[in-house]
Amino acid sequence: MRETVLYQVQAIPEKRLIDVKCTIPNPDPLGQRVLLPAWIPGSYLIRNFSGHIVTLQAYDHEQVVPVQMLDKNTWFCGPTCGPLVVHYQVHAYDLTPRGAHVDSTHAFFNGSRVFLQVCGQEEAAVHIEIIAPFDPKYHHWRVATSLERVGAESFSFGLYQARHYEDLIDHPVEMGEFEVFSFEVVEVVHDLVVIGKHRADINRLKTDLSCLCEYHIRFFGVPAPMKKYTFLLTVLNDGYGGLEHCSSSVIHCKRAHLPKFNDIKVSDGYRTLLGLLSHEYFHAWNVKCIKPSAFSPYHLTCENYTRQLWIFEGITSYYDELALVRTKRISKENYLELLGQLCTRVYSTPGRFKQTLEQASFEAWIKFYRPDENSLNATISYYTKGALVALALDLLLRHETNNQCSLDQVMQVVWQRFGMTRQGLPEEYFERIVEEVSGCRLKDFFDRTLRSTEDFLIAPYLEKVGIVLNIFSASSMEEVGGRKPMDLLERPLLEVKLKPGTSDVHLACVFEGSAAEMAGLAPGDIIIAVNGFRVDRVHFESVIAHYAVGEEVLLHVFRRDILMTFKVVLRSGWLHTYVLATASSLTEQQRVLLQSWLNCDIS
Ligand SMILES: [Zn+2]
């Protein structure tokens, strides 16, 4: 008799279902509890995956076993004589990196969506049999996953295994048609699995990706924590996002962001894609091995609160793009443009005056993952402000220690103490380690950047490495920053965010303190005319641009189904674009610091 828990999983493409049979050889003789996680590590929101279970029955070898739901995540199966089988079906139609999605083109799932946890047996090894869909027309499908194979051939249906439940749910599975591009760096075999139609130069992507992987492995030190790594890259018409796992990641990208054949430049889209791949890969160390204590172990049925997400997402966001310039995938100027965009995002967010970086982390469960029309006014992202603080800290350490210490060494020490040992990082330890490794006293720095809503200015830190921060008036409400505007004209702007993906001038957010807010405009309003002239999304900004700063315009607006008018005095606004450039002359110290920070020659 097989002693380990066995999960037999089979997609039913036409029904968008995943069928699972969980066989428990040694159930609790008094009755067995099973539960499904309420959230997926890496995405900090209670999602109650049990809501997607359509049917669930239990039986032993003789008869049906009664099942009772105990709470929203947990079921109780009555006492049995012998092995217990729990048979259930999961609706899977969420095409996101954190989701599960099945249709006639493929099947994809994250384990936390489909694998019931057998209470009391969480630490035991498990087997997983991945079975081809019943209909022979799917029998050419292959399987891509970082789960360890037992009987299954490479990329095939068959038997896999996991060390315990937490390991089981850390290996997403893709079934269908896909291409595989493999490469080996520093004794780690990497499979780049490309899912979806495209006409891209994937070999170029493979070369760039292998440089980034090698950089990150050597950054933390050989050997890497994984022997194999799988990138599950899904190509979509419109998609962006990723989710990290210990030895794989799920990435969704826009088809247009893939590199074209014979194109030697790095397009903005391709740069975004490389940054995303770099980000998820860096997480294999920073959040999958180095974790906050609150995640060690994960508590999968409730919120796991930590004030440290800026370390895990902000520092990762800092290094994902820094690795692009250090490995020479992009130029120094290109990297400075990315930092200009980062500054523009942070300094265009009024919410930075309301929420500290530590609060942003702690409140992720109720705010960051539940954005609404007021989020920009009330919250700050621990990704973007966290990356800006990481940048400041890195440059500060380099300057204060005369280039003897940097954030690189800090992360390496954190890796050795908390990553290699898999000990959770207690809430206050990171700051202590930075002070210990650098010898600098940084209490004021951390109080100001992590625990205060006072504005935190990046220019003095950039100056330490000879980078100048220039600030210009935004030329558009959709300003992304990083590039000097074509002209320096003062443009009237409405200081609102428009809803994407619609041809209407639909207000998604009205910035606090803006002329639009003072005039009474509100999120959800649709502007249909300016001074009697009809406007749509495409022409709205050019129509506004015909007026002068200080002029009053009459807006016709639908609020719900009521036509209303508002008078707004146009201002040039506080929206700005931030542009970084190397200073025209550098001191010797600035030149040395800049060179070692970006790994490039500065003449
Ligand atoms: Zn991340």
Side-chain angles (χ1 to χ4, degrees), residues 279 283 313 383:
H279 180 99
H283 270 318
E313 291 301 349
Y383 284 80

Side-chain angles (χ1 to χ4, degrees), residues 528-530 532-536 539 543:
I528 57 166
V530 176
F533 291 92
R534 193 172 86 173
V535 287
D536 60 15
H539 303 104
V543 170

Side-chain angles (χ1 to χ4, degrees), residues 95-107:
L95 189 56
T96 61
R98 59 176 184 271
H101 187 267
V102 174
D103 66 13
S104 57
T105 65
H106 84 138

